[in-house]
Amino acid sequence: MTDSTALQYKILNPATGQVEETFETATDADVAAALETTQAAYVEWAARPMAERVAIAHKIAELFYERKEELGRIATREMGKPLSESIGEAEFCGDIFKYFADNGEKFTADQEIESFIGGKAIIQRRAVGPLLGIMPWNYPYYQIARFAAPNLVLGNTILLKHAETVPGSALAMQKLLDDAGVPAGVYQNLFATHEQIADIIADPRIQGVSVTGSERAGSAVASLAGKHLKKSVMELGGSDPFVVLDSNNVSEIVDTAWATRIENTGQACNSNKRMIVAEGIFDDFVAGLVAKAKGLTPGDPADEAEGTFAPLSSRAAAEKLHEQVQDAVSKGATLHVGGELHDGPASYYSPAVLTGITPEMRAYSEELFGPVAAVYKVADDAEALKLANDTEFGLGGSVFSADTERARKIAEQLEVGMTNVNAPGAESFEMPFGGVKRSGFGRELGPLGMDEFVNKRLLYIAD
């Protein structure tokens, strides 16, 4: 029997700490029906001409644009993202669906390869079957879109288990796809328990699983997927280096560093969690960050009043971040500003600037998932590179310098899945996203995003 108490799907507004709505978890009968339906739907969906799937994907994009404000308010209510960012996220989802609709035919076109045994050899890209997606709360629409868009266009079907803290966004996504004409069973939201998820992965009808989330969640799911010989894609944590070798305009680079770190209240996997700055500009850089953080007060993320900051997604998240910062301070780090855990039950944690972090501190090796600018001083490029790579994570990284070639030389040596020169990242629907080391494996978005859950079938025709 499934332990239905393992998870509780609920809308808990982090700006107030109040539970506003709860939802029943799926029954075992619900899960069994979903598995049967997704398999039946796959047979019909994959057999359709791609042009029909593309037309529906275009409609999905249109609805994201039309409903962006409605969707934004749902996300802001249940996970605390500033409203303008929530609306922007919904717009970005429209861009993602449009991109794969526009390029699906090209990305899956037959590819003839050279044959040394005569005849004709062709690589074909075909759907593989029903997939399971396990998605996080921090970008409740975008995380689904980058997984669902290429796979729906390709012809796969999807069971989607969203984070238990964003059920409103999960249901809004289901309704949007239904309204766009996605056939019944092709995309199904499930408020599943952990035990049910294990059963779904084990089911022979499921052909793959995609996870965006913590290392712990990724490790648990990847082990199950491996046990049952299922393909998996993992986008896990990150502790991305933001390396500043020099700057002709420290104020400008501070603006970039702060805007990147504070996006989504610091709750982004590929945020610049470690700022590594040359000693010649270090003091000015830190002073600039402190000026940005100083005097900010808690505010309603739906209003975004000037001089305010949004809550973290949950009280537990705020408390964990506070513990990490206090651990560093107790061991000699300097907290220049912020770092205040505000009274509960809301989830406010004031944006902070932290320096003097050393390896014995939790902040050195753990991901700081919140608005903390951790800044490190380095003497030269070699020290910057060594520090940048001294992490178990490997999602992204960036290097800044007035000398582009100097920055590129360091960027080329970063042990990451996405490396950037004079930009904090390349955030766009055509840019592949993913990491190495403990940040996971596989890629989403761009042409590589349609090349994960696909049967790269060989068709050989003899002379």
Side-chain angles (χ1 to χ4, degrees):
M1 197 63 187
T2 298
D3 177 11
S4 60
T5 64
L7 289 178
Q8 183 181 19
Y9 289 84
K10 60 186 177 183
I11 296 175
L12 192 163
N13 189 328
T16 65
Q18 301 302 313
V19 175
E20 299 183 357
E21 195 171 355
T22 60
F23 301 83
E24 294 294 325
T25 55
T27 65
D28 290 344
D30 292 334
V31 172
L35 284 164
E36 183 175 349
T37 304
T38 195
Q39 177 61 37
Y42 166 68
V43 174
E44 190 275 334
W45 182 244
R48 290 191 180 201
M50 179 172 280
E52 293 186 17
R53 299 194 297 269
V54 161
I56 291 174
H58 274 299
K59 182 60 178 176
I60 294 170
E62 291 173 10
L63 290 182
F64 266 112
Y65 299 140
E66 291 175 10
R67 300 180 183 180
K68 60 185 181 182
E69 291 193 17
E70 172 192 345
L71 295 169
R73 291 192 182 281
I74 292 170
T76 293
R77 172 193 176 199
E78 61 187 358
M79 57 76 59
K81 189 193 302 287
L83 181 58
S84 63
E85 294 183 22
S86 295
I87 293 171
E89 179 184 340
E91 283 187 300
F92 191 27
C93 292
D95 295 342
I96 291 169
F97 271 95
K98 183 179 185 301
Y99 172 76
F100 284 107
D102 288 343
N103 291 282
E105 295 273 9
K106 179 175 67 175
F107 290 161
T108 58
D110 287 356
Q111 175 188 357
E112 187 170 351
I113 62 173
E114 187 174 4
S115 170
F116 295 99
I117 58 173
K120 181 180 288 189
I122 301 167
I123 303 298
Q124 299 178 311
R125 285 172 168 79
R126 298 293 184 267
V128 294
L131 306 173
L132 171 65
I134 301 173
M135 296 296 129
W137 49 264
N138 60 334
Y139 290 91
Y141 305 120
Y142 161 69
Q143 303 285 8
I144 297 177
R146 67 186 195 182
F147 164 60
N151 284 300
L152 291 177
V153 171
L154 184 64
N156 295 320
T157 56
I158 291 172
L159 297 181
L160 199 289
K161 186 271 175 201
H162 216 325
E164 58 270 24
T165 56
V166 289
S169 297
L171 293 174
M173 187 78 168
Q174 179 75 68
K175 186 177 188 307
L176 188 151
L177 268 63
D178 290 346
D179 291 348
V182 175
V186 170
Y187 177 94
Q188 299 177 75
N189 177 73
L190 274 177
F191 289 153
T193 66
H194 292 310
E195 186 176 355
Q196 288 170 339
I197 289 301
D199 292 340
I200 292 170
I201 295 172
D203 192 283
R205 288 166 290 195
I206 295 298
Q207 299 302 308
V209 56
S210 179
V211 174
T212 299
S214 67
E215 293 175 82
R216 181 178 60 82
S219 177
V221 173
S223 64
L224 283 170
K227 176 181 177 181
H228 297 289
L229 299 178
K230 305 294 174 70
K231 168 69 184 289
S232 63
V233 167
M234 299 284 152
E235 197 273 276
L236 309 177
S239 190
D240 291 10
F242 181 100
V243 180
V244 185
L245 302 177
D246 60 66
S247 177
N248 294 329
N249 189 333
V250 176
S251 177
E252 184 177 276
I253 198 70
V254 165
D255 288 346
T256 299
W258 183 253
T260 304
R261 190 67 189 99
I262 209 70
E263 181 188 348
N264 203 19
T265 319
Q267 300 166 116
C269 296
N270 62 328
S271 183
N272 52 339
K273 300 189 179 80
R274 294 179 299 138
M275 303 180 193
I276 300 169
V277 182
E279 60 184 359
I281 59 173
F282 178 84
D283 290 342
D284 289 342
F285 186 91
V286 171
L289 292 176
V290 170
K292 295 280 187 184
K294 196 170 185 179
L296 297 177
T297 58
D300 185 343
D303 292 339
E304 297 187 81
E306 187 175 350
T308 64
F309 59 90
L312 293 182
S313 64
S314 69
R315 185 69 187 179
E319 290 173 353
K320 177 182 177 181
L321 184 64
H322 187 60
E323 290 170 1
Q324 291 170 308
V325 171
Q326 288 302 305
D327 170 78
V329 171
S330 71
K331 295 173 181 174
T334 299
L335 179 62
H336 295 262
V337 65
E340 179 186 355
L341 178 63
H342 291 252
D343 292 340
S347 306
Y348 288 96
Y349 186 82
S350 56
V353 178
L354 191 66
T355 63
I357 301 167
T358 54
E360 67 271 13
M361 303 172 187
R362 291 175 60 188
Y364 186 90
S365 56
E366 296 181 8
E367 181 178 23
L368 298 178
F369 214 61
V372 176
V375 194
Y376 298 78
K377 182 193 297 185
V378 291
D380 53 34
D381 294 11
E383 185 180 0
L385 177 62
K386 182 179 179 180
L387 179 56
N389 285 335
D390 189 20
T391 174
E392 293 185 340
F393 295 104
L395 189 54
S398 54
V399 184
F400 293 79
S401 172
D403 182 344
T404 300
E405 285 306 310
R406 178 187 180 193
R408 178 172 177 169
K409 181 179 179 181
I410 300 301
E412 292 267 20
Q413 298 178 74
L414 295 181
E415 297 166 354
V416 296
M418 303 172 288
T419 187
N420 308 279
V421 174
N422 288 333
E427 297 285 340
S428 189
F429 47 80
E430 78 277 15
M431 299 293 181
F433 190 103
V436 295
K437 300 197 286 189
R438 294 188 68 84
S439 290
F441 44 82
R443 294 294 181 269
E444 294 180 308
L445 298 179
L448 301 185
M450 196 172 251
D451 227 23
E452 290 289 350
F453 296 105
V454 60
N455 175 11
K456 302 180 184 73
R457 182 173 68 189
L458 170 67
L459 170 63
Y460 176 72
I461 305 169
D463 289 331

